Amino acid sequence: QVQLVESGGGLVQAGGSLTLSCAASGRTFSSYAMGWFRQAPGKERAFVAGISWSGGSTLYADSVKGRFTIVRDNAKSTLYLQMNSLKPEDTAVYYCAANTRNYIGSNRPSYDSWGQGTQVTVSS
């Protein structure tokens, strides 16, 4: 399995921007489709965005469409989530996840590996 480590979280004001990173190791990164999920206090872990092996296909939750961008750099074995126009409701722990099926959707069990998460807090 691939090992995933997120970074880049922090405290930001509403309207601000933040970029999360997810560094992968252990297996060939380009053989994994990747996703970002988030979990707010008292809520279930929710899909944010997904990207295919090559980066040619992406999918976004309606709540982040037009504000967030998922990008991958296979040469650096790193996944990114560029977050703009942040809102207080974006506050959550953000997780990256991987699967070998080239699945980029919202079904959590379809992802095989998960990172430990990074906290994003958006103040109003």
Side-chain angles (χ1 to χ4, degrees):
Q1 281 192 338
V2 66
Q3 287 77 49
L4 305 172
V5 179
E6 302 95 335
S7 62
L11 175 63
V12 63
Q13 288 189 333
S17 298
L18 208 57
T19 297
L20 305 182
S21 299
C22 172
S25 62
R27 292 279 301 268
T28 304
F29 182 64
S30 58
S31 64
Y32 288 87
M34 302 295 296
W36 285 101
F37 289 74
R38 66 186 182 185
Q39 188 166 17
K43 295 188 176 182
E44 290 191 352
R45 194 170 298 188
F47 174 77
V48 174
I51 189 167
S52 61
W53 297 333
S54 66
S57 297
T58 57
L59 184 67
Y60 295 92
D62 287 343
S63 59
V64 306
K65 203 172 294 184
R67 299 188 299 122
F68 290 11
T69 302
I70 187 170
V71 179
R72 67 188 298 159
D73 186 336
N74 286 344
K76 295 182 177 180
S77 298
T78 303
L79 175 74
Y80 303 96
L81 185 67
Q82 300 168 345
M83 305 185 294
N84 298 321
S85 302
L86 283 161
K87 305 175 182 180
E89 50 263 44
D90 294 318
T91 294
V93 177
Y94 283 71
Y95 299 88
C96 63
N99 73 83
T100 57
R101 305 170 189 82
N102 211 22
Y103 174 77
I104 63 171
S106 60
N107 185 42
R108 293 197 306 271
S110 294
Y111 292 84
D112 307 306
S113 301
W114 293 82
Q116 83 291 346
T118 186
Q119 175 71 47
V120 172
T121 303
V122 184
S123 63
S124 57

